[in-house]
């Protein structure tokens, strides 16, 4: 009866009980998430430190003694006695984990910076190498592919190719010698620095933290200066490459202009010679005109002296009459030929008709 009464009293409060249960469920979920994070932190701590677990064993022993003292209790009470870490132990584990993570982050940062510096150096070297290869390819095309071509047969001259390769080999040998000397200088500097360091160690003058920090700052400054110098050197090399390309373009244009100038000079010489010949022709025609004028004046004067001489118009009329007569003669000769052919044909017909009779 008491149970029924309690159940009836709880029915009106069903909705509020559901809200309370949902709120308790959310709290339990948050507690579970917190415990999972603590377990993950504990597992990471154990994996990092590989502890023997002395503190944990002490805590586990205390809990075990407490469970032994509570043996007379129920099974539910025994299940309510889990192993807990104290706040101080949790703080120590979290602090150790933070320190380890900070060390790992710092080591990763240093490693990433080293890798980044290596990649930057490789990238700069690659850019410089690409610029040098482009320059070599352009020079090879200019000096060998185009410049060493024989204009008569269109083939590349072997001696030009050999001379070009010998020049390149001499340049490489000179570069190798410069790098060898630079390497020797760097080795000498390294040996000198190692000797100074050994001397300081023998004298007991160890570097302090402030000195080491100062050296780090100076090292960063020198590295920045070296990077600036490398960037400036790369810019100068690119500028030099562009200047060489511009110079080669201007040389090519100059050669084209020189060829055009030579052609124009030839054309000018040819035109001058033609102009000279035209001048000579003009002078000759002028002289002939003067002679014809003199001859014309002489003939006019002679005509005036002797009027019986034929006139020019008479001469022209006689030439026209002669031409007409020649045309008439040719016409009569053609008619005569036609008549002769007709007569021969008639005689042939008469002879044939007489034979028939």
């Amino acid at each position: 009866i008491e149970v029924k009464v309690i159940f009836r009293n709880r029915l009106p409060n069903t909705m509020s009980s559901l809200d309370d249960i949902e709120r308790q469920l959310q709290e339990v979920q948050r507690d579970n998430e917190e415990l999972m994070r603590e377990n993950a932190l504990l597992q990471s701590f154990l994996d990092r430190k590989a502890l023997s677990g002395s503190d944990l064993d002490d805590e586990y022993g205390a809990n075990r003694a407490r469970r032994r003292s509570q043996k007379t209790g129920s099974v539910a009470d025994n299940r309510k006695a889990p192993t807990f870490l104290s706040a101080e132990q949790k703080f120590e584990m979290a602090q150790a984990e933070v320190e380890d993570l900070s060390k790992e982050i710092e080591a990763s940062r240093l490693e990433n910076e080293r890798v980044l510096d290596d990649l930057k150096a490789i990238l700069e070297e690659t850019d410089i190498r690409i610029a040098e290869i482009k320059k070599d390819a352009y020079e090879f095309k200019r000096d060998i592919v185009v410049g060493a071509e024989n204009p008569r047969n269109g083939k590349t001259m072997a001696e030009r190719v050999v001379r070009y390769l010998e020049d390149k080999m001499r340049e490489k040998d000179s570069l190798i010698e410069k790098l060898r000397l630079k390497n020797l200088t760097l080795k000498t500097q390294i040996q000198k620095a190692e000797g100074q360091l050994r001397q300081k160690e023998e004298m007991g003058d160890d570097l302090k933290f402030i000195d080491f920090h100062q050296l780090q700052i100076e090292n960063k400054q020198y590295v920045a200066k070296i990077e600036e110098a490398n960037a400036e050197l790369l810019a100068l090399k690119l500028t030099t490459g562009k200047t060489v390309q511009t110079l080669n373009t201007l040389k090519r244009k100059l050669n084209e202009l020189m060829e055009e100038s030579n052609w124009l000079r030839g054309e000018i010489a040819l035109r001058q010679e033609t102009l000279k010949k035209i001048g000579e022709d003009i002078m000759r025609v002028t002289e002939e005109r003067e002679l014809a004028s003199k001859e014309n004046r002489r003939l006019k004067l002679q005509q005036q002296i002797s009027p019986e001489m034929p006139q020019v118009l008479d001469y022209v009329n006689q030439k026209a009459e002669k031409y007409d007569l020649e045309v008439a003669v040719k016409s009569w000769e053609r008619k005569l030929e036609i008549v002769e052919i007709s007569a021969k044909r008639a005689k042939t017909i008469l002879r044939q008709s007489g034979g028939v009779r």
Side-chain angles (χ1 to χ4, degrees):
I1 294 171
E2 290 177 357
V3 172
K4 290 181 180 180
V5 172
I6 292 171
F7 182 72
R8 286 172 183 166
N9 292 330
R10 286 182 179 181
L11 283 175
N13 298 325
T14 303
M15 297 302 294
S16 60
S17 299
L18 290 175
D19 294 337
D20 294 337
I21 291 171
E22 185 176 0
R23 186 170 57 255
Q24 291 176 3
L25 179 62
Q26 292 177 357
E27 291 177 358
V28 170
Q29 288 178 351
R30 284 196 296 272
D31 294 338
N32 288 334
E33 291 177 356
E34 185 177 357
L35 290 173
M36 289 174 67
R37 287 194 292 271
E38 290 181 359
N39 290 332
L41 179 64
L42 177 59
Q43 185 65 38
S44 176
F45 178 77
L46 293 176
D47 292 338
R48 287 178 183 276
K49 299 297 184 179
L51 292 176
S52 60
S54 58
D55 295 336
L56 298 175
D57 289 339
D58 294 339
E59 183 69 19
Y60 179 72
N63 291 326
R64 189 175 180 183
R66 188 166 55 252
R67 285 198 300 272
R68 286 178 179 175
S69 63
Q70 296 176 355
K71 250 183 178 179
T72 57
S74 63
V75 177
D77 293 337
N78 288 331
R79 289 179 180 176
K80 290 182 181 179
T83 300
F84 291 102
L85 295 175
S86 63
E88 185 178 359
Q89 289 175 341
K90 291 180 181 180
F91 175 75
E92 290 178 357
M93 285 193 298
Q95 188 175 8
E97 188 69 14
V98 169
E99 290 178 356
D100 292 337
L101 288 174
S102 299
K103 291 179 181 178
E104 287 185 0
I105 292 171
E106 183 66 20
S108 299
R109 186 182 64 80
L110 295 175
E111 181 66 19
N112 292 331
E113 288 180 355
R114 185 185 65 79
V115 173
L116 183 61
D117 293 335
D118 293 339
L119 293 175
K120 285 182 179 179
I122 293 171
L123 184 60
E124 290 179 358
E125 183 180 1
T126 304
D127 292 336
I128 294 170
R129 186 60 180 163
I130 289 172
E132 291 178 354
I133 290 172
K134 287 183 178 179
K135 181 181 176 183
D136 292 339
Y138 179 78
E139 291 179 353
F140 182 81
K141 183 178 180 181
R142 181 195 63 192
D143 298 335
I144 302 300
V145 177
V146 179
E149 184 178 357
N150 194 339
R152 289 180 295 178
N153 53 16
K155 295 182 179 179
T156 303
M157 293 182 284
E159 57 272 11
R160 293 284 296 274
V161 178
V162 173
R163 186 163 64 251
Y164 176 82
L165 293 176
E166 289 178 352
D167 293 338
K168 287 297 180 181
M169 290 298 294
R170 281 195 293 270
E171 290 179 2
K172 296 297 182 183
D173 292 336
S174 176
L175 180 61
I176 290 171
E177 184 65 22
K178 289 181 182 178
L179 293 175
R180 188 181 65 80
L181 294 175
K182 186 176 181 180
N183 192 15
L184 291 175
T185 305
L186 292 174
K187 284 183 178 179
T188 304
Q189 292 177 358
I190 291 171
Q191 291 176 359
K192 185 176 180 180
E194 289 178 350
Q196 291 177 357
L197 185 60
R198 280 196 301 271
Q199 186 177 2
K200 286 184 179 181
E201 289 177 353
E202 290 174 359
M203 292 174 62
D205 188 11
D206 295 333
L207 293 175
K208 296 181 180 179
F209 177 75
I210 298 175
D211 297 333
F212 183 72
H213 186 63
Q214 183 68 26
L215 289 174
Q216 282 183 340
I217 295 172
E218 292 179 356
N219 186 20
K220 290 181 179 179
Q221 292 176 355
Y222 288 138
V223 168
K225 289 180 180 180
I226 291 171
E227 290 179 353
E228 291 178 358
N230 291 329
E232 185 177 0
L233 179 61
L234 180 60
L236 290 174
K237 284 186 176 181
L238 294 175
T239 305
T240 304
K242 292 180 180 179
T243 305
V244 171
Q245 292 179 357
T246 306
L247 179 61
N248 293 327
T249 304
L250 293 175
K251 284 183 178 180
R252 186 171 62 253
K253 290 182 179 179
L254 179 61
N255 292 328
E256 293 176 356
L257 293 175
M258 289 295 292
E259 292 177 358
E260 186 177 358
S261 177
N262 294 329
W263 179 78
L264 290 175
R265 287 178 182 175
E267 287 290 324
I268 291 170
L270 183 62
R271 298 293 175 86
Q272 287 178 351
E273 185 177 357
T274 306
L275 184 62
K276 184 178 179 182
K277 290 181 179 179
I278 292 171
E280 292 175 355
D281 293 337
I282 291 171
M283 292 177 64
R284 187 174 65 253
V285 170
T286 304
E287 291 177 356
E288 291 177 356
R289 185 177 63 82
E290 291 178 354
L291 292 174
S293 298
K294 289 179 181 180
E295 184 68 21
N296 190 17
R297 285 195 298 270
R298 187 182 65 79
L299 292 172
K300 284 183 179 180
L301 182 61
Q302 187 177 2
Q303 185 179 3
Q304 291 175 0
I305 294 171
S306 58
E308 295 179 357
M309 292 185 63
Q311 297 294 325
V312 177
L313 185 59
D314 296 336
Y315 176 76
V316 173
N317 292 329
Q318 288 177 3
K319 290 290 286 185
E321 187 178 357
K322 179 185 175 183
Y323 177 74
D324 294 336
L325 291 174
E326 288 178 353
V327 172
V329 168
K330 288 181 179 179
S331 176
W332 285 110
E333 287 178 352
R334 180 63 179 167
K335 291 178 180 180
L336 181 59
E337 289 178 358
I338 295 170
V339 170
E340 287 179 354
I341 292 171
S342 299
K344 288 180 181 180
R345 187 179 299 167
K347 287 180 181 180
T348 304
I349 293 170
L350 289 173
R351 194 178 298 114
Q352 290 177 357
S353 62
V356 171
R357 288 179 182 177

